[in-house]
Amino acid sequence: MGKGKAGVTSAAGTAPEKKTTSKTPGGSEKAFRTELLRQMLLIRRFEEKSAQMYGLRKIGGFCHLYIGQEAVAVGAVAALDLKDDYVLTAYRDHGHALACGMDPKAMMAELYGRQAGCSRGKGGSMHMFDVDKHMLGGNGIVGAHIPVATGVALKIKYKKENGVVLCFFGDGAIHQGSFHESLNLAKIWNLPIVYICENNQYGMGTDFRRVSSVTDFSKMGLSYDIPGSQMDGMDVLKVHAAVKEAADRARKEHQPSFIEAVTYRYKGHSMSDPATYRTKEELGEYKSQDPILILKAQMLKSKQLNNEEFDKIDAGCKRIGNEAVQFAEDSPQPAIEMLYEDVVV
Amino acid sequence: MPVIAFRQALKDAMDEEMARDQNVILMGEEVAQYNGAYKVSQGLLDKYGPERIIDTPITEEGFTGVGIGAALVGLRPIVEWMTVNFSAQAFDQVLNNAAKMLYMSGGQLKVPIVFRGPNGPAEYLASQHSQSFQAFYSHIPGIKVVAPSTPHDAKGMLKSAIRDDNPVIFLEGEMMYAWKGEVPDEEYLIPLGKAEVKRTGEEVTLISFSRSMQMVLEAAEVLEKEGYSAEVLDLRSLRPLDEEAVFASVVKTNRCVIIDNDWPMASFGSYLGWLISKNCFDSLDAPVELVAMEDVPMPYNHTLELAVQPSMEKIVTAAKRVMYV
């Protein structure tokens, strides 16, 4: 894979077909791919709904949309069994939360700041949590969750469990000390964790090439003797294959891995960012390599999907988005008495 | 009753809790093979092995965050900071992760972790190694901050801290590790958030915690010899704060001196002074006094560094000032 902006397949459907085993035991490849497609569409439609509701001022504050990056969370989390495994991510967390199977209604209610929200209206967009689904946030400080994720992996090792931790972060976080300290700790203690850098090319408004000593982040693991690889983050099947390999290695050998997923966000850094630091042509180029379109084209070609089926899945996801909004609208505001709840146990 | 050193009391507390609960681990710089920079973890590696007594590299943000992550999923880590001065490197982890997870997850995630180490000035360590962190940490909702002053309290409170489901900052003192005191053989716990009257008196209340308690008790002796009756309150815990005990004493004596070995501006002591002024206004016969550090970085020179800090003489003078004598 090339450097910098490279690493993205040239056009939908032309990526080399790599056989990906089904996640569901006994499930067909078609069913597996259909599920990946459904999850990516759900994130896309959920995020579009979030943007719409933000525009209507139903949602406030910092809201970072995942549109364009869906393949990374969906492909990676599909390699997990969340009974044993864990996911931690940064503030662009709606996609990972949905990929972990979190309830879209509870998530939309959280965006609305309502009592029925997954964090009871106290977390908001950047702090989606679901302990039962092993989705441990949702962290608003760039890079701050990387040591925390490493600590979850320490627990797995100490308890001699079978799990693995996926730790997602962006190209902005990779220069934080917390990243470098964590990789060193994970290696000296042989922890079962996969660090996944979602390189969406921009740390807020700054092109990653302007602030990084290397443009191929996969080298970053080398200082810590951790194998690194760069993958096409727009192709969900490639993401799944790479993360599965790393997760298996973590499980079997208790060894950390580092993966750079080259991806792109279609929207600004947050809702308030018009993203004037990049060209329309650049955005258009990536939109033509849309992760949903890539998988759709692959499935159409291999006759695992027809347009009618696609439309039906899409309609279902749109309905879930609408229902989530309705649920959020109907949920009560948190009571003022809740202010002092959950400060300490 | 056996007399043991402060460091031994801390070690015994960790030892007993590790024997009791497999989820308790200790991690930090030099805690294992070196037996602790201040020998607080002496012998624990031999007893519990390297899986539970974990040496870390010098990466405070990293291993503090690792401890928090392990706590989120059920372990009960004790993270030793070689000195609390170095926790500045890890401050973000405490402030934004340990203290916030429970709240911002809507009550889903508990963080049962203890951060412990020597806080405040020792001797000849100059400005970067002589700082007090009680104001920084007690400012934060979502964590507990405790600072015992005797081996007895240290043991009982550290055991409670380890069993607590919240993050607890456990402040010790380099000069305190060799302090000796009576500690019973049988197991006991001291709840976090309970102050203790160390000496009853009638004319002025002296309030402090941690290392300063020794000179506060000496000051009370001196005052007694001069005919003044001072009550001494050891807060032991800064957050939660035993406001009831504070107010009860001040309402009784009508005068108060707070001794906080930290810079005065926006400090724990200045907050406590405001709290007392607000809640005991009708009982006060004089403004609340604060004996604090001078508002300068700590100098290396010994005469200067002593001049910066509270002293027995400064406490006596402040007590006389509020008694108008």
Side-chain angles (χ1 to χ4, degrees):
Chain A
M1 195 149 296
K3 294 186 174 160
K5 203 188 284 181
V8 178
T9 42
S10 53
T14 59
E17 290 277 325
K18 187 167 181 177
K19 278 278 177 189
T20 310
T21 50
S22 167
K23 183 194 172 202
T24 322
S28 69
E29 187 180 84
K30 177 185 169 178
F32 176 64
R33 291 183 175 191
T34 304
E35 177 58 15
L36 297 181
L37 185 68
R38 190 195 68 80
Q39 288 185 21
M40 290 198 293
L41 274 164
L42 176 61
I43 295 170
R44 179 70 54 93
R45 299 310 177 205
F46 182 91
E47 293 292 63
E48 286 169 353
K49 211 71 202 163
S50 303
Q52 188 189 348
M53 294 304 117
Y54 194 96
L56 294 172
R57 302 194 174 195
K58 301 281 190 178
I59 299 168
F62 297 136
C63 185
H64 311 86
L65 300 182
Y66 200 60
I67 294 176
Q69 298 181 218
E70 293 92 340
V72 184
V74 169
V77 175
L80 300 185
D81 177 351
L82 288 170
K83 282 201 300 292
D84 296 324
D85 302 335
Y86 295 87
V87 169
L88 290 91
T89 186
Y91 45 80
R92 196 179 305 284
D93 61 348
H94 308 173
H96 309 86
L98 289 168
C100 287
M102 279 181 65
D103 177 9
K105 288 179 177 162
M107 287 176 56
M108 190 60 79
E110 188 59 37
L111 292 174
Y112 269 61
R114 300 297 170 92
Q115 195 168 332
C118 54
S119 301
R120 305 181 78 211
K122 289 174 169 179
S125 167
M126 298 183 283
H127 306 302
M128 300 287 173
F129 293 88
D130 190 328
V131 169
D132 294 336
K133 301 241 185 297
H134 283 190
M135 162 59 183
L136 304 184
N139 199 305
I141 307 296
V142 174
H145 64 295
I146 305 177
V148 177
T150 308
V152 175
L154 178 74
K155 186 273 302 202
I156 291 170
K157 189 195 174 197
Y158 179 72
K159 294 269 200 181
K160 300 185 169 53
E161 295 171 352
N162 192 38
V164 55
V165 179
L166 294 192
C167 177
F168 297 89
F169 49 91
D171 48 283
I174 203 161
H175 305 298
Q176 286 276 28
S178 59
F179 166 79
H180 295 272
E181 294 186 17
S182 296
L183 261 66
N184 185 54
L185 292 168
K187 181 63 187 182
I188 61 173
W189 294 335
N190 300 322
L191 302 182
I193 182 164
V194 183
Y195 298 99
I196 301 175
C197 176
E198 297 188 56
N199 181 2
N200 68 13
Q201 326 268 338
Y202 294 90
M204 200 166 159
T206 302
D207 188 317
F208 79 99
R209 298 163 196 83
R210 291 172 54 214
V211 291
S212 180
S213 60
V214 295
T215 50
D216 176 358
F217 284 143
S218 66
K219 290 177 187 166
M220 289 285 208
L222 294 179
S223 298
Y224 309 101
D225 200 18
I226 291 176
S229 59
Q230 197 180 47
M231 68 179 178
D232 176 359
M234 304 301 267
D235 186 328
V236 70
L237 297 178
K238 287 184 183 170
V239 172
H240 178 256
V243 174
K244 189 167 189 311
E245 188 184 329
D248 286 347
R249 179 177 135 82
R251 250 186 271 278
K252 286 179 194 143
E253 302 168 33
H254 267 202
Q255 287 291 325
S257 300
F258 172 75
I259 296 172
E260 176 193 1
V262 181
T263 181
Y264 202 77
R265 60 169 153 78
Y266 294 175
K267 303 288 180 181
H269 166 71
S270 66
M271 288 303 296
S272 59
D273 170 23
T276 51
Y277 42 80
R278 57 190 193 186
T279 63
K280 274 185 187 163
E281 290 71 29
E282 181 181 294
L283 179 60
E285 185 190 327
Y286 279 98
K287 280 191 172 176
S288 71
Q289 299 153 2
D290 185 278
I292 294 169
L293 296 183
I294 288 176
L295 181 61
K296 181 186 175 189
Q298 287 167 344
M299 291 180 72
L300 288 173
K301 194 177 164 196
S302 56
K303 304 210 185 313
Q304 290 171 326
L305 180 78
N306 61 41
N307 280 310
E308 198 178 304
E309 287 167 330
F310 179 87
D311 291 344
K312 200 173 156 196
I313 296 168
D314 194 23
C317 293
K318 283 178 179 161
R319 192 175 62 247
I320 291 171
N322 290 332
E323 287 169 357
V325 165
Q326 195 55 52
F327 177 82
E329 293 277 353
D330 294 344
S331 350
Q333 297 281 353
I336 294 295
E337 295 74 47
M338 281 174 58
L339 259 187
Y340 278 87
E341 291 172 9
D342 301 324
V343 179
V344 290
V345 177
Chain B
M1 201 184 296
V3 172
I4 64 171
F6 205 100
R7 62 161 57 83
Q8 175 79 32
L10 295 169
K11 200 274 286 184
D12 289 351
M14 292 193 288
D15 191 355
E16 288 178 19
E17 293 306 300
M18 291 189 76
R20 177 180 173 270
D21 184 352
Q22 281 289 323
N23 288 323
V24 179
I25 59 171
L26 172 67
M27 55 195 298
E29 294 145 0
E30 309 288 3
V31 298
Q33 291 192 13
Y34 195 85
N35 284 299
Y38 296 101
K39 304 299 173 201
V40 173
S41 54
Q42 185 91 48
L44 292 179
L45 174 65
D46 287 345
K47 187 163 178 185
Y48 295 103
E51 286 181 352
R52 298 186 69 188
I53 310 294
I54 304 170
D55 274 329
T56 68
I58 305 169
T59 53
E60 285 84 5
E61 181 182 13
F63 69 75
T64 298
V66 165
I68 293 164
L72 288 180
V73 286
L75 298 190
R76 291 184 169 275
I78 305 163
V79 169
E80 179 175 308
W81 292 322
M82 189 184 287
T83 100
V84 177
N85 289 283
F86 306 157
S87 78
Q89 293 273 9
F91 191 67
D92 177 65
Q93 287 296 328
V94 178
L95 173 70
N96 281 312
N97 288 337
K100 301 290 198 300
M101 284 294 175
L102 181 72
Y103 201 74
M104 67 187 185
S105 70
Q108 295 186 70
L109 286 170
K110 289 185 284 198
V111 191
I113 190 167
V114 176
F115 305 105
R116 46 158 292 272
N119 173 60
E123 286 183 322
Y124 301 102
L125 296 181
S127 59
Q128 293 176 330
H129 287 73
S130 304
Q131 299 175 96
S132 296
F133 277 70
Q134 55 264 32
F136 297 138
Y137 287 120
S138 59
H139 188 59
I140 306 170
I143 58 177
K144 295 185 177 180
V145 182
V146 302
S149 70
T150 66
H152 176 269
D153 290 354
K155 183 176 178 192
M157 290 175 73
L158 183 52
K159 284 169 68 74
S160 292
I162 294 167
R163 294 186 198 187
D164 202 290
D165 278 338
N166 301 286
V168 180
I169 307 276
F170 198 94
L171 302 175
E172 303 158 9
E174 185 183 327
M175 307 298 283
M176 300 167 78
Y177 287 132
W179 287 8
K180 293 202 166 156
E182 288 188 335
V183 174
D185 277 329
E186 60 274 17
E187 182 174 52
Y188 64 98
L189 295 168
I190 297 176
L192 310 183
K194 290 285 171 202
E196 188 179 45
V197 176
K198 290 284 190 189
R199 181 189 176 107
T200 53
E202 303 300 327
E203 292 169 285
V204 60
T205 298
L206 309 179
I207 304 177
S208 193
F209 54 93
S210 194
R211 182 184 165 204
S212 302
M213 282 305 300
Q214 204 168 60
M215 63 178 67
V216 171
L217 287 165
E218 283 166 17
E221 295 264 332
V222 169
L223 287 166
E224 185 179 87
K225 279 180 195 142
E226 297 187 27
Y228 307 108
S229 168
E231 178 145 305
V232 177
L233 186 66
D234 182 355
L235 290 176
R236 303 198 292 190
S237 170
L238 309 187
R239 183 189 267 277
L241 176 63
D242 192 347
E243 295 181 10
E244 250 176 64
V246 170
F247 301 155
S249 181
V250 175
V251 165
K252 182 174 86 169
T253 65
N254 311 115
R255 299 163 200 276
C256 180
V257 178
I258 298 160
I259 301 91
D260 181 10
N261 197 3
D262 195 359
W263 299 307
M265 188 164 176
S267 67
F268 181 83
S270 59
Y271 166 75
L272 186 59
W274 167 77
L275 206 60
I276 292 167
S277 301
K278 180 175 158 61
N279 288 280
C280 307
F281 185 76
D282 291 340
S283 304
L284 284 171
D285 287 341
V288 177
E289 274 285 339
L290 172 63
V291 180
M293 266 187 200
E294 295 297 322
D295 199 15
V296 295
M298 185 65 75
Y300 166 71
N301 175 275
H302 194 53
T303 305
L304 292 182
E305 73 171 342
L306 290 179
V308 163
Q309 299 177 64
S311 65
M312 192 268 286
E313 292 76 15
K314 288 181 188 175
I315 298 165
V316 168
T317 304
K320 287 180 176 174
R321 202 179 303 133
V322 298
M323 292 189 288
Y324 300 115
V325 292

